[in-house]
Amino acid sequence: MAFPDIQSFMRLLEQRGELLRVTTPVSRELEITEIADRMVKQGGPALLFENVTGSDYPVAIGLLGTKERVALALGVDDLDGLAEKVRALIDLSGGGSKLGLLSNVTKLRDAMNLPPRRVRNAPAQEVVWRGDDVDLSKIPVLKCWPLDGGPFVTLPLVITKDPETGERNMGMYRVQVMSRNTTGMHWQRHKTGTKHLEKAKKLGKRLEVAVAIGGDPALIYAATAPLPPVPGLDEFALAGYLRGQRYPVAKGVTVDLDVPANAEFVLEGYVDPSEDWVMEGPFGDHTGFYTLPDLYPHFHVTAVTMRRNPVYPATIVGRPPMEDAYLIEASERLFLPAAQLIIPEIVDYHMPPAGVAHNLVFVSIKKSYPGQAYKVANGLFGLGQMMFAKVIVVLDEDVTVTDFDAVWREVTQKAVPGRDTLTTRGPIDVLDHSSRGWGYGGKLIIDATTKRPEEVGSAASSRPDQAGDVLSPEGFTPRAAQDLPTFDGVLAQRQTLDGYWLVALHKTRAGQARDLAAAFAAHPAAHGIRHLLICDDQTDVTDIQDVWWTILNNIDAERDVWVQQGLLAWDGAQKLPQEGFVREWPPKIVMDKDIVDRVDRLWNVYGLPEQWR
């Protein structure tokens, strides 16, 4: 099903009981975030806030807040259907016979739907603000978290054009409102928008920019998708393929850019590459930590266009699970066939919410020779945005990669610390606060596949005729001790039945985590343990998701993961200047207590069901 716009999708959700209206006045500053955060973490319905203080426009949030709603938005029964659509498109087979050629007609027709189509009358341009009429404060842009530097547009479709080739790009880069007619433009080092700006600077001209808010769900998803650099394949084309029809666009009223004809709002303007950049942030980011203030380009808004009765769609990002986890899962399914085309032994892969997309990848493979796990992991590091992956765990083909607990049980059973772990270096997401350098750091490969003789130093490894032999799982028996040792700064700890020792540490001195690892590894309680996970003092050791989320955010794998007397120690505590860490350490995102109390108090006033409180 193709949705004409976001409001038609909302109407369907409401008919299905998956969208609730809130008529009580609510604040765009923090209050909407707290309500929406509770909903998405419990798999609750989307929300439409009809009475936002200080604005005439309603706010819709959580529209893609479950796996099922994302599948509905993209026109498939479930997200695995996306893989089948792509597999059908890239498998233009059938041989040279007439019957074979006819079998491809439907596929080719789908492919021809890719280019967008220009329309003259665009709903997104029914109302136009120009010049002094532009006032971004009238749009209900949310301030999501207490330490945010201001209100941020969180579902922006940022459109630019290569100044040399004319190739379009659309990306979802957060947009901080700075004044009534200016914003920041969060183009990171690796983003296409940055490349377009650099080219404009060389040519000595401004870069035109349009920021669409809304459109239909397929386009919102497409703006988040890590598209490969294929000529002619852009986000409009991907949305057209997912919709099964060419995407409607209109020429901007003040910029020479195609904008979504069915958007709710469009901000048009320019970035002047000769102008000084502006300080942007902090921002409570998808990592669950604040990204700290930094300099970014300054976007000048020359016009705002909109529908006569627009809805402002928004999302929030922060501590997982959040709405973006389901968009990430959609991308997993969509690009699985392409990954298998390049690395054919891949059976499946998954990026769990605890890894906030780039920190953790589980991949299962059909293994046929020694060392294949490392071949696959290194191949993934070379695939587009997978280059930002921090930890890759490689598993046998029969392991369900979406079963978080089962994967980590496989790791303790089949991956011996040191022998089956390997660190390397490479690009790291610039939002990563713990890496050894900005955008550069350590990575970890864990080989949790069943080992062949060559991989364990068996005598059989010297006999080529036995290369097909495999070894049964290692004889490791996990055990959780009852009596655990004390150590300076340890606030809480526990051991799991599958071989993990979880510790919350209040760190006050350099080397404290290393000293703890040495003491605990030498203690009898380490007998049935393979992994020692040292977390910061804000971590709940009874919540394995919280533990892994903290660990994966707070490590540089080369610096902070090491073998300690047979244990793999992970130092996920805060890094100190005395340890040579010179960057500022950001805080975790926590909502203000008075906002939490207010939402608790008003929950029934909002008219929301008690089950989602």
Side-chain angles (χ1 to χ4, degrees):
M1 175 186 296
F3 295 96
D5 49 40
I6 201 72
Q7 293 195 39
S8 62
F9 181 60
M10 291 166 54
R11 286 192 290 271
L12 179 60
L13 292 183
E14 189 168 26
Q15 291 169 12
R16 294 163 60 105
E18 295 188 56
L19 182 143
L20 299 180
R21 294 173 181 263
V22 177
T23 59
T24 305
V26 293
S27 172
R28 65 177 101 172
E29 184 167 331
L30 306 184
E31 187 177 0
I32 287 178
T33 294
E34 176 61 21
I35 299 168
D37 190 31
R38 297 185 188 195
M39 282 293 189
V40 75
K41 282 184 167 46
Q42 299 181 77
L47 298 169
L48 179 64
F49 295 96
E50 297 184 311
N51 191 348
V52 181
T53 54
S55 179
D56 294 331
Y57 310 114
V59 170
I61 197 164
L63 299 176
L64 302 174
T66 66
K67 185 189 304 186
E68 293 74 21
R69 292 207 290 271
V70 173
L72 178 67
L74 299 181
V76 292
D77 293 332
D78 57 59
L79 291 181
D80 285 327
L82 292 175
E84 295 309 313
K85 291 187 75 167
V86 174
R87 193 169 282 116
L89 183 63
I90 64 178
D91 182 26
L92 297 178
S93 59
S97 68
K98 290 183 179 180
L99 184 61
L101 291 173
L102 287 173
S103 71
N104 289 321
V105 168
T106 302
K107 300 174 187 178
L108 294 174
R109 186 179 66 233
D110 288 344
M112 288 171 62
N113 284 330
L114 298 181
R117 61 181 176 89
R118 181 76 67 84
V119 299
R120 290 185 178 181
N121 298 315
Q125 296 173 342
E126 290 172 338
V127 177
V128 179
W129 300 343
R130 298 175 189 258
D132 292 340
D133 291 334
V134 172
D135 186 355
L136 300 180
S137 69
K138 294 180 179 179
I139 303 173
V141 183
L142 306 183
K143 180 179 178 182
C144 298
W145 300 108
L147 301 184
D148 281 357
F152 283 83
V153 181
T154 52
L155 276 180
L157 314 180
V158 181
I159 302 163
T160 56
K161 187 165 58 176
D162 188 305
E164 294 176 344
T165 68
E167 288 274 336
R168 278 187 304 260
N169 179 70
M170 178 187 294
M172 191 169 286
Y173 319 117
R174 73 188 192 219
V175 173
Q176 180 181 349
V177 175
M178 303 289 190
S179 71
R180 61 184 292 129
N181 62 356
T182 63
T183 79
M185 187 56 66
H186 195 261
W187 282 327
Q188 300 165 17
R189 173 187 294 179
H190 303 97
K191 302 301 183 182
T192 305
T194 298
K195 297 174 184 176
H196 289 178
L197 186 62
E198 290 170 349
K199 287 187 177 183
K201 184 174 184 178
K202 290 179 182 178
L203 295 172
K205 63 181 186 179
R206 295 172 173 175
L207 181 67
E208 292 187 326
V209 182
V211 178
I213 305 170
D216 69 38
L219 189 66
I220 292 172
Y221 163 69
T224 72
L227 291 180
V230 177
L233 177 62
D234 63 18
E235 290 75 15
F236 284 122
L238 175 59
Y241 178 65
L242 293 173
R243 303 168 100 239
Q245 55 187 254
R246 295 170 64 189
Y247 204 91
V249 298
K251 185 178 179 180
V253 299
T254 62
V255 294
D256 185 21
L257 293 169
D258 286 331
V259 301
N262 56 3
E264 301 295 307
F265 298 87
V266 179
L267 317 183
E268 299 182 1
Y270 65 89
V271 172
D272 186 344
S274 67
E275 188 178 41
D276 289 340
W277 289 11
V278 293
M279 191 63 71
E280 187 256 20
F283 177 67
D285 223 315
H286 76 279
T287 60
F289 288 72
Y290 285 94
T291 51
L292 300 175
D294 205 350
L295 293 171
Y296 281 95
H298 204 187
F299 175 47
H300 297 265
V301 181
T302 55
V304 176
T305 73
M306 68 190 78
R307 293 170 175 267
R308 286 195 181 89
N309 296 294
V311 170
Y312 178 79
T315 189
I316 52 172
V317 292
R319 296 177 71 147
M322 284 289 194
E323 188 171 11
D324 59 338
Y326 306 109
L327 297 174
I328 291 166
E329 188 168 348
S331 286
E332 287 178 10
R333 299 303 92 195
L334 190 67
F335 292 101
L336 175 60
Q340 293 171 323
L341 195 65
I342 298 168
I343 309 174
E345 56 265 60
I346 290 178
V347 174
D348 202 357
Y349 76 106
H350 179 53
M351 295 179 285
V356 295
H358 53 271
N359 283 343
L360 181 63
V361 181
F362 297 153
V363 55
S364 59
I365 67 170
K366 187 173 181 62
K367 183 174 177 178
S368 57
Y369 54 84
Q372 196 168 5
Y374 299 108
K375 177 260 190 186
V376 169
N378 283 304
L380 285 173
F381 283 138
L383 288 183
Q385 292 193 35
M386 197 67 79
M387 66 178 174
F388 299 127
K390 186 183 286 189
V391 177
I392 294 181
V393 180
V394 187
L395 304 143
D396 289 326
E397 62 182 304
D398 61 343
V399 178
T400 302
V401 293
T402 54
D403 188 334
F404 192 82
D405 294 334
V407 167
W408 289 116
R409 285 194 297 271
E410 287 285 304
V411 169
T412 54
Q413 288 296 321
K414 295 184 179 178
V416 176
R419 188 194 74 185
D420 303 322
T421 54
L422 180 67
T423 55
T424 183
R425 299 175 193 161
I428 293 291
D429 193 295
V430 297
L431 298 180
D432 190 289
H433 61 265
S434 62
S435 58
R436 59 190 289 155
W438 189 69
Y440 175 63
K443 299 170 179 288
L444 175 67
I445 301 170
I446 300 178
D447 177 5
T449 62
T450 300
K451 301 303 178 295
R452 292 178 174 270
E454 300 90 341
E455 295 173 307
V456 297
S458 165
S461 65
S462 62
R463 299 199 298 272
D465 59 313
Q466 294 191 22
D469 290 350
V470 297
L471 297 184
S472 59
E474 304 287 334
F476 171 73
T477 303
R479 179 179 67 87
Q482 296 300 314
D483 297 320
L484 301 179
T486 59
F487 190 85
D488 175 43
V490 172
L491 303 182
Q493 59 176 311
R494 75 179 179 99
Q495 292 185 349
T496 70
L497 296 175
D498 49 358
Y500 294 87
W501 194 341
L502 321 176
V503 180
L505 175 67
H506 177 59
K507 187 172 178 178
T508 56
R509 59 178 175 82
Q512 191 173 356
R514 291 255 172 188
D515 293 343
L516 183 155
F520 278 19
H523 194 274
H527 176 68
I529 299 297
R530 270 198 164 157
H531 293 259
L532 176 62
L533 307 181
I534 304 170
C535 306
D536 61 31
D537 53 9
Q538 293 179 290
T539 304
D540 180 2
V541 298
T542 67
D543 183 346
I544 193 64
Q545 296 286 335
D546 192 40
V547 168
W548 277 115
W549 168 69
T550 298
I551 289 285
L552 294 162
N553 268 298
N554 286 355
I555 61 164
D556 179 294
E558 185 180 20
R559 180 192 63 215
D560 301 323
V561 183
W562 70 95
V563 179
Q564 185 80 46
Q565 292 181 241
L567 297 184
L568 195 66
W570 306 62
D571 176 10
Q574 179 176 343
K575 307 304 177 291
L576 304 175
Q578 298 89 332
E579 296 171 309
F581 191 84
V582 297
R583 299 159 66 194
E584 185 178 354
W585 195 266
K588 288 181 174 179
I589 297 171
V590 179
M591 182 55 78
D592 282 347
K593 186 178 184 302
D594 59 339
I595 297 296
V596 175
D597 292 343
R598 173 180 171 81
V599 170
D600 278 338
R601 188 172 64 254
L602 295 179
W603 194 262
N604 293 327
V605 177
Y606 300 137
L608 296 174
E610 192 67 24
Q611 70 188 96
W612 307 116
R613 181 193 288 268

